[in-house]
Amino acid sequence: WVQCATRRERCDTGPMTVFWRAVPRDVIQVSGPDALTYLHSQVSNDLRPMQVGQSCWSFLLEPTGKVDVLLRVTRTADETFVLDTDAGSGEVMTTRVNRFKIRVKADVQPLEWSTVAVRSTTGAHVGEVAPADGSFAVIGWGGGYDLLGPSPLAPEGIDRGSDALLDAARVEAGWPAMGSEIVPAEIVPAETGITSIAVSFTKGCYPGQELVERMDS
């Protein structure tokens, strides 16, 4: 199933509960007539129901079922998808996306985009504020959301947090990070604790699916 960032609500932030932090991300764009069918055949989540502006978390796996990268997929146009992952893992993501791209009408190119993460210190759900700068409000973790784009602006009325505060919120939410909890080609999705969010158990085949299904069973 796809957990999508589509809500556009202004939330009551309250003092010292909701904060934002600029977060570096590695971002690529996949565009072309075959972008949807190709990406859907490669990632662990179901991209077919996604509408423009929606996003979901997913894995790119080795054929053996080991995790190459945890990434987010955002549909930015009918034939265009933006993939982003933790900073420092972009090369792994790009290499994996291109690995099986044979006779596929889809172009892969890097984007100089960045992210503003909006989170709650209590882990409560944070209602999204529709960005006015052309960026996308995309699914986050721990009840929060991210603003993703060329130069996303922090939402008004929310305090800026620290890296330590954001990392503490990540640990509290149990959200795995590339390079620490996720080392490429060393762990399987079931070890991450987020298969309910990043894996569809009803979609068609993709590399590594057999191990994912066997572990779930």
Side-chain angles (χ1 to χ4, degrees):
W1 55 281
V2 178
Q3 189 177 43
C4 296
T6 58
R7 299 179 61 184
R8 297 291 182 268
E9 301 176 354
R10 183 169 298 276
C11 62
D12 179 10
T13 61
M16 303 301 291
T17 59
V18 177
F19 66 95
W20 66 268
R21 186 69 181 172
V23 180
R25 301 281 291 177
D26 290 342
V27 187
I28 62 174
Q29 177 179 280
V30 182
S31 59
D34 295 340
L36 173 59
T37 54
Y38 176 66
L39 288 175
H40 179 74
S41 73
Q42 296 300 306
V43 302
S44 61
N45 218 331
D46 190 350
L47 305 188
R48 293 171 301 179
M50 291 180 64
Q51 302 298 311
V52 174
Q54 292 184 333
S55 59
C56 69
W57 292 106
S58 190
F59 294 112
L60 281 167
L61 306 177
E62 291 279 319
T64 59
K66 298 292 183 67
V67 177
D68 270 334
V69 65
L70 168 64
L71 73 160
R72 177 169 46 202
V73 182
T74 303
R75 191 170 195 170
T76 59
D78 287 343
E79 297 183 349
T80 304
F81 294 80
V82 169
L83 282 55
D84 69 289
T85 188
D86 292 342
S89 297
E91 184 176 352
V92 175
M93 176 173 65
T94 304
T95 299
R96 175 59 182 80
V97 167
N98 284 317
R99 183 174 179 182
F100 300 106
K101 195 170 73 67
I102 302 172
R103 296 180 180 177
V104 173
K105 295 179 180 178
D107 296 322
V108 180
Q109 62 183 36
L111 293 180
E112 294 297 325
W113 282 19
S114 55
T115 303
V116 170
V118 183
R119 300 290 185 272
S120 168
T121 57
T122 64
H125 176 76
V126 180
E128 296 164 14
V129 177
D133 56 7
S135 59
F136 291 86
V138 296
I139 189 170
W141 45 257
Y145 69 96
D146 291 349
L147 299 174
L148 176 67
S151 300
L153 299 176
E156 296 181 358
I158 298 178
D159 293 332
R160 180 179 181 179
S162 63
D163 288 339
L165 187 62
L166 182 63
D167 196 50
R170 182 187 70 81
V171 173
E172 181 66 23
W175 189 259
M178 293 295 300
S180 53
E181 290 80 23
I182 300 178
V183 178
E186 289 193 8
I187 70 168
V188 298
E191 294 180 88
T192 66
I194 60 169
T195 53
S196 62
I197 294 173
V199 174
S200 167
F201 292 98
T202 59
K203 65 170 289 184
C205 296
Y206 57 90
Q209 180 191 31
E210 182 180 357
L211 178 63
V212 176
E213 295 283 355
R214 189 163 65 244
M215 292 289 290
D216 182 62
S217 296

mmCIF file with all atom_site columns, all heavy atoms in Angstrom, residues 186-204:
data_model
loop_
_atom_site.group_PDB
_atom_site.id
_atom_site.type_symbol
_atom_site.label_atom_id
_atom_site.label_alt_id
_atom_site.label_comp_id
_atom_site.label_asym_id
_atom_site.label_entity_id
_atom_site.label_seq_id
_atom_site.pdbx_PDB_ins_code
_atom_site.Cartn_x
_atom_site.Cartn_y
_atom_site.Cartn_z
_atom_site.occupancy
_atom_site.B_iso_or_equiv
_atom_site.pdbx_formal_charge
_atom_site.auth_seq_id
_atom_site.auth_comp_id
_atom_site.auth_asym_id
_atom_site.auth_atom_id
_atom_site.pdbx_PDB_model_num
ATOM 1   N N   . GLU A 1 186 ? 23.567 -5.105 3.376  1.00 0.00 ? 186 GLU A N   1
ATOM 2   C CA  . GLU A 1 186 ? 23.881 -5.852 4.600  1.00 0.00 ? 186 GLU A CA  1
ATOM 3   C C   . GLU A 1 186 ? 22.656 -6.278 5.391  1.00 0.00 ? 186 GLU A C   1
ATOM 4   O O   . GLU A 1 186 ? 22.744 -7.227 6.171  1.00 0.00 ? 186 GLU A O   1
ATOM 5   C CB  . GLU A 1 186 ? 24.810 -5.030 5.504  1.00 0.00 ? 186 GLU A CB  1
ATOM 6   C CG  . GLU A 1 186 ? 26.226 -4.887 4.965  1.00 0.00 ? 186 GLU A CG  1
ATOM 7   C CD  . GLU A 1 186 ? 27.182 -4.342 6.008  1.00 0.00 ? 186 GLU A CD  1
ATOM 8   O OE1 . GLU A 1 186 ? 26.771 -4.216 7.188  1.00 0.00 ? 186 GLU A OE1 1
ATOM 9   O OE2 . GLU A 1 186 ? 28.329 -4.032 5.642  1.00 0.00 ? 186 GLU A OE2 1
ATOM 10  N N   . ILE A 1 187 ? 21.520 -5.590 5.233  1.00 0.00 ? 187 ILE A N   1
ATOM 11  C CA  . ILE A 1 187 ? 20.336 -5.950 6.014  1.00 0.00 ? 187 ILE A CA  1
ATOM 12  C C   . ILE A 1 187 ? 19.155 -6.191 5.082  1.00 0.00 ? 187 ILE A C   1
ATOM 13  O O   . ILE A 1 187 ? 19.168 -5.804 3.910  1.00 0.00 ? 187 ILE A O   1
ATOM 14  C CB  . ILE A 1 187 ? 19.970 -4.876 7.058  1.00 0.00 ? 187 ILE A CB  1
ATOM 15  C CG1 . ILE A 1 187 ? 19.447 -3.606 6.374  1.00 0.00 ? 187 ILE A CG1 1
ATOM 16  C CG2 . ILE A 1 187 ? 21.158 -4.548 7.946  1.00 0.00 ? 187 ILE A CG2 1
ATOM 17  C CD1 . ILE A 1 187 ? 18.811 -2.633 7.349  1.00 0.00 ? 187 ILE A CD1 1
ATOM 18  N N   . VAL A 1 188 ? 18.111 -6.807 5.606  1.00 0.00 ? 188 VAL A N   1
ATOM 19  C CA  . VAL A 1 188 ? 16.889 -7.056 4.845  1.00 0.00 ? 188 VAL A CA  1
ATOM 20  C C   . VAL A 1 188 ? 15.806 -6.105 5.344  1.00 0.00 ? 188 VAL A C   1
ATOM 21  O O   . VAL A 1 188 ? 15.889 -5.582 6.473  1.00 0.00 ? 188 VAL A O   1
ATOM 22  C CB  . VAL A 1 188 ? 16.439 -8.519 4.976  1.00 0.00 ? 188 VAL A CB  1
ATOM 23  C CG1 . VAL A 1 188 ? 17.500 -9.452 4.415  1.00 0.00 ? 188 VAL A CG1 1
ATOM 24  C CG2 . VAL A 1 188 ? 16.120 -8.868 6.422  1.00 0.00 ? 188 VAL A CG2 1
ATOM 25  N N   . PRO A 1 189 ? 14.773 -5.845 4.534  1.00 0.00 ? 189 PRO A N   1
ATOM 26  C CA  . PRO A 1 189 ? 13.734 -4.886 4.937  1.00 0.00 ? 189 PRO A CA  1
ATOM 27  C C   . PRO A 1 189 ? 13.103 -5.179 6.285  1.00 0.00 ? 189 PRO A C   1
ATOM 28  O O   . PRO A 1 189 ? 12.780 -4.252 7.044  1.00 0.00 ? 189 PRO A O   1
ATOM 29  C CB  . PRO A 1 189 ? 12.712 -5.000 3.803  1.00 0.00 ? 189 PRO A CB  1
ATOM 30  C CG  . PRO A 1 189 ? 13.527 -5.349 2.608  1.00 0.00 ? 189 PRO A CG  1
ATOM 31  C CD  . PRO A 1 189 ? 14.587 -6.294 3.139  1.00 0.00 ? 189 PRO A CD  1
ATOM 32  N N   . ALA A 1 190 ? 12.914 -6.454 6.614  1.00 0.00 ? 190 ALA A N   1
ATOM 33  C CA  . ALA A 1 190 ? 12.263 -6.797 7.878  1.00 0.00 ? 190 ALA A CA  1
ATOM 34  C C   . ALA A 1 190 ? 13.036 -6.285 9.092  1.00 0.00 ? 190 ALA A C   1
ATOM 35  O O   . ALA A 1 190 ? 12.454 -6.081 10.161 1.00 0.00 ? 190 ALA A O   1
ATOM 36  C CB  . ALA A 1 190 ? 12.083 -8.306 7.981  1.00 0.00 ? 190 ALA A CB  1
ATOM 37  N N   . GLU A 1 191 ? 14.345 -6.067 8.942  1.00 0.00 ? 191 GLU A N   1
ATOM 38  C CA  . GLU A 1 191 ? 15.156 -5.579 10.059 1.00 0.00 ? 191 GLU A CA  1
ATOM 39  C C   . GLU A 1 191 ? 14.989 -4.082 10.291 1.00 0.00 ? 191 GLU A C   1
ATOM 40  O O   . GLU A 1 191 ? 15.410 -3.581 11.331 1.00 0.00 ? 191 GLU A O   1
ATOM 41  C CB  . GLU A 1 191 ? 16.632 -5.879 9.791  1.00 0.00 ? 191 GLU A CB  1
ATOM 42  C CG  . GLU A 1 191 ? 16.976 -7.356 9.776  1.00 0.00 ? 191 GLU A CG  1
ATOM 43  C CD  . GLU A 1 191 ? 18.454 -7.581 9.503  1.00 0.00 ? 191 GLU A CD  1
ATOM 44  O OE1 . GLU A 1 191 ? 19.244 -7.605 10.459 1.00 0.00 ? 191 GLU A OE1 1
ATOM 45  O OE2 . GLU A 1 191 ? 18.817 -7.728 8.312  1.00 0.00 ? 191 GLU A OE2 1
ATOM 46  N N   . THR A 1 192 ? 14.394 -3.373 9.339  1.00 0.00 ? 192 THR A N   1
ATOM 47  C CA  . THR A 1 192 ? 14.276 -1.915 9.469  1.00 0.00 ? 192 THR A CA  1
ATOM 48  C C   . THR A 1 192 ? 13.086 -1.497 10.315 1.00 0.00 ? 192 THR A C   1
ATOM 49  O O   . THR A 1 192 ? 13.057 -0.378 10.827 1.00 0.00 ? 192 THR A O   1
ATOM 50  C CB  . THR A 1 192 ? 14.126 -1.268 8.083  1.00 0.00 ? 192 THR A CB  1
ATOM 51  O OG1 . THR A 1 192 ? 12.869 -1.665 7.502  1.00 0.00 ? 192 THR A OG1 1
ATOM 52  C CG2 . THR A 1 192 ? 15.266 -1.673 7.159  1.00 0.00 ? 192 THR A CG2 1
ATOM 53  N N   . GLY A 1 193 ? 12.087 -2.363 10.428 1.00 0.00 ? 193 GLY A N   1
ATOM 54  C CA  . GLY A 1 193 ? 10.905 -2.023 11.205 1.00 0.00 ? 193 GLY A CA  1
ATOM 55  C C   . GLY A 1 193 ? 9.893  -1.168 10.474 1.00 0.00 ? 193 GLY A C   1
ATOM 56  O O   . GLY A 1 193 ? 8.918  -0.708 11.087 1.00 0.00 ? 193 GLY A O   1
ATOM 57  N N   . ILE A 1 194 ? 10.092 -0.936 9.163  1.00 0.00 ? 194 ILE A N   1
ATOM 58  C CA  . ILE A 1 194 ? 9.174  -0.045 8.441  1.00 0.00 ? 194 ILE A CA  1
ATOM 59  C C   . ILE A 1 194 ? 8.595  -0.704 7.189  1.00 0.00 ? 194 ILE A C   1
ATOM 60  O O   . ILE A 1 194 ? 8.192  -0.018 6.247  1.00 0.00 ? 194 ILE A O   1
ATOM 61  C CB  . ILE A 1 194 ? 9.851  1.286  8.070  1.00 0.00 ? 194 ILE A CB  1
ATOM 62  C CG1 . ILE A 1 194 ? 11.067 1.056  7.161  1.00 0.00 ? 194 ILE A CG1 1
ATOM 63  C CG2 . ILE A 1 194 ? 10.246 2.065  9.313  1.00 0.00 ? 194 ILE A CG2 1
ATOM 64  C CD1 . ILE A 1 194 ? 11.612 2.347  6.549  1.00 0.00 ? 194 ILE A CD1 1
ATOM 65  N N   . THR A 1 195 ? 8.535  -2.030 7.160  1.00 0.00 ? 195 THR A N   1
ATOM 66  C CA  . THR A 1 195 ? 7.975  -2.693 5.985  1.00 0.00 ? 195 THR A CA  1
ATOM 67  C C   . THR A 1 195 ? 6.501  -2.326 5.780  1.00 0.00 ? 195 THR A C   1
ATOM 68  O O   . THR A 1 195 ? 6.012  -2.302 4.645  1.00 0.00 ? 195 THR A O   1
ATOM 69  C CB  . THR A 1 195 ? 8.103  -4.216 6.081  1.00 0.00 ? 195 THR A CB  1
ATOM 70  O OG1 . THR A 1 195 ? 7.538  -4.663 7.323  1.00 0.00 ? 195 THR A OG1 1
ATOM 71  C CG2 . THR A 1 195 ? 9.559  -4.635 5.997  1.00 0.00 ? 195 THR A CG2 1
ATOM 72  N N   . SER A 1 196 ? 5.780  -2.034 6.848  1.00 0.00 ? 196 SER A N   1
ATOM 73  C CA  . SER A 1 196 ? 4.367  -1.658 6.712  1.00 0.00 ? 196 SER A CA  1
ATOM 74  C C   . SER A 1 196 ? 4.207  -0.335 5.980  1.00 0.00 ? 196 SER A C   1
ATOM 75  O O   . SER A 1 196 ? 3.132  -0.042 5.436  1.00 0.00 ? 196 SER A O   1
ATOM 76  C CB  . SER A 1 196 ? 3.696  -1.564 8.089  1.00 0.00 ? 196 SER A CB  1
ATOM 77  O OG  . SER A 1 196 ? 4.302  -0.556 8.871  1.00 0.00 ? 196 SER A OG  1
ATOM 78  N N   . ILE A 1 197 ? 5.262  0.467  5.955  1.00 0.00 ? 197 ILE A N   1
ATOM 79  C CA  . ILE A 1 197 ? 5.224  1.765  5.301  1.00 0.00 ? 197 ILE A CA  1
ATOM 80  C C   . ILE A 1 197 ? 5.867  1.720  3.921  1.00 0.00 ? 197 ILE A C   1
ATOM 81  O O   . ILE A 1 197 ? 5.379  2.353  2.979  1.00 0.00 ? 197 ILE A O   1
ATOM 82  C CB  . ILE A 1 197 ? 5.948  2.823  6.166  1.00 0.00 ? 197 ILE A CB  1
ATOM 83  C CG1 . ILE A 1 197 ? 5.184  3.059  7.469  1.00 0.00 ? 197 ILE A CG1 1
ATOM 84  C CG2 . ILE A 1 197 ? 6.127  4.142  5.414  1.00 0.00 ? 197 ILE A CG2 1
ATOM 85  C CD1 . ILE A 1 197 ? 5.907  3.943  8.450  1.00 0.00 ? 197 ILE A CD1 1
ATOM 86  N N   . ALA A 1 198 ? 6.950  0.961  3.779  1.00 0.00 ? 198 ALA A N   1
ATOM 87  C CA  . ALA A 1 198 ? 7.769  1.021  2.568  1.00 0.00 ? 198 ALA A CA  1
ATOM 88  C C   . ALA A 1 198 ? 7.610  -0.163 1.632  1.00 0.00 ? 198 ALA A C   1
ATOM 89  O O   . ALA A 1 198 ? 8.260  -0.202 0.584  1.00 0.00 ? 198 ALA A O   1
ATOM 90  C CB  . ALA A 1 198 ? 9.248  1.161  2.951  1.00 0.00 ? 198 ALA A CB  1
ATOM 91  N N   . VAL A 1 199 ? 6.763  -1.122 1.970  1.00 0.00 ? 199 VAL A N   1
ATOM 92  C CA  . VAL A 1 199 ? 6.607  -2.328 1.164  1.00 0.00 ? 199 VAL A CA  1
ATOM 93  C C   . VAL A 1 199 ? 5.139  -2.577 0.864  1.00 0.00 ? 199 VAL A C   1
ATOM 94  O O   . VAL A 1 199 ? 4.286  -2.466 1.751  1.00 0.00 ? 199 VAL A O   1
ATOM 95  C CB  . VAL A 1 199 ? 7.197  -3.563 1.877  1.00 0.00 ? 199 VAL A CB  1
ATOM 96  C CG1 . VAL A 1 199 ? 6.890  -4.840 1.101  1.00 0.00 ? 199 VAL A CG1 1
ATOM 97  C CG2 . VAL A 1 199 ? 8.703  -3.406 2.061  1.00 0.00 ? 199 VAL A CG2 1
ATOM 98  N N   . SER A 1 200 ? 4.839  -2.915 -0.389 1.00 0.00 ? 200 SER A N   1
ATOM 99  C CA  . SER A 1 200 ? 3.513  -3.392 -0.769 1.00 0.00 ? 200 SER A CA  1
ATOM 100 C C   . SER A 1 200 ? 3.583  -4.901 -0.930 1.00 0.00 ? 200 SER A C   1
ATOM 101 O O   . SER A 1 200 ? 4.442  -5.417 -1.650 1.00 0.00 ? 200 SER A O   1
ATOM 102 C CB  . SER A 1 200 ? 3.059  -2.754 -2.087 1.00 0.00 ? 200 SER A CB  1
ATOM 103 O OG  . SER A 1 200 ? 1.917  -3.427 -2.602 1.00 0.00 ? 200 SER A OG  1
ATOM 104 N N   . PHE A 1 201 ? 2.665  -5.610 -0.283 1.00 0.00 ? 201 PHE A N   1
ATOM 105 C CA  . PHE A 1 201 ? 2.625  -7.063 -0.378 1.00 0.00 ? 201 PHE A CA  1
ATOM 106 C C   . PHE A 1 201 ? 1.575  -7.535 -1.384 1.00 0.00 ? 201 PHE A C   1
ATOM 107 O O   . PHE A 1 201 ? 1.253  -8.717 -1.445 1.00 0.00 ? 201 PHE A O   1
ATOM 108 C CB  . PHE A 1 201 ? 2.361  -7.674 0.998  1.00 0.00 ? 201 PHE A CB  1
ATOM 109 C CG  . PHE A 1 201 ? 3.510  -7.485 1.949  1.00 0.00 ? 201 PHE A CG  1
ATOM 110 C CD1 . PHE A 1 201 ? 3.498  -6.465 2.882  1.00 0.00 ? 201 PHE A CD1 1
ATOM 111 C CD2 . PHE A 1 201 ? 4.616  -8.322 1.892  1.00 0.00 ? 201 PHE A CD2 1
ATOM 112 C CE1 . PHE A 1 201 ? 4.565  -6.282 3.757  1.00 0.00 ? 201 PHE A CE1 1
ATOM 113 C CE2 . PHE A 1 201 ? 5.688  -8.147 2.759  1.00 0.00 ? 201 PHE A CE2 1
ATOM 114 C CZ  . PHE A 1 201 ? 5.660  -7.123 3.694  1.00 0.00 ? 201 PHE A CZ  1
ATOM 115 N N   . THR A 1 202 ? 1.038  -6.595 -2.170 1.00 0.00 ? 202 THR A N   1
ATOM 116 C CA  . THR A 1 202 ? 0.026  -6.955 -3.168 1.00 0.00 ? 202 THR A CA  1
ATOM 117 C C   . THR A 1 202 ? 0.431  -6.572 -4.582 1.00 0.00 ? 202 THR A C   1
ATOM 118 O O   . THR A 1 202 ? -0.294 -6.872 -5.524 1.00 0.00 ? 202 THR A O   1
ATOM 119 C CB  . THR A 1 202 ? -1.315 -6.272 -2.834 1.00 0.00 ? 202 THR A CB  1
ATOM 120 O OG1 . THR A 1 202 ? -1.146 -4.853 -2.808 1.00 0.00 ? 202 THR A OG1 1
ATOM 121 C CG2 . THR A 1 202 ? -1.844 -6.749 -1.492 1.00 0.00 ? 202 THR A CG2 1
ATOM 122 N N   . LYS A 1 203 ? 1.561  -5.889 -4.750 1.00 0.00 ? 203 LYS A N   1
ATOM 123 C CA  . LYS A 1 203 ? 1.994  -5.478 -6.089 1.00 0.00 ? 203 LYS A CA  1
ATOM 124 C C   . LYS A 1 203 ? 2.659  -6.647 -6.813 1.00 0.00 ? 203 LYS A C   1
ATOM 125 O O   . LYS A 1 203 ? 2.840  -7.729 -6.260 1.00 0.00 ? 203 LYS A O   1
ATOM 126 C CB  . LYS A 1 203 ? 2.963  -4.293 -6.000 1.00 0.00 ? 203 LYS A CB  1
ATOM 127 C CG  . LYS A 1 203 ? 4.273  -4.618 -5.309 1.00 0.00 ? 203 LYS A CG  1
ATOM 128 C CD  . LYS A 1 203 ? 5.273  -3.473 -5.464 1.00 0.00 ? 203 LYS A CD  1
ATOM 129 C CE  . LYS A 1 203 ? 5.797  -3.370 -6.887 1.00 0.00 ? 203 LYS A CE  1
ATOM 130 N NZ  . LYS A 1 203 ? 6.827  -2.349 -7.064 1.00 0.00 ? 203 LYS A NZ  1
ATOM 131 N N   . GLY A 1 204 ? 3.069  -6.399 -8.057 1.00 0.00 ? 204 GLY A N   1
ATOM 132 C CA  . GLY A 1 204 ? 3.756  -7.420 -8.843 1.00 0.00 ? 204 GLY A CA  1
ATOM 133 C C   . GLY A 1 204 ? 5.210  -7.567 -8.434 1.00 0.00 ? 204 GLY A C   1
ATOM 134 O O   . GLY A 1 204 ? 5.655  -7.052 -7.411 1.00 0.00 ? 204 GLY A O   1
#
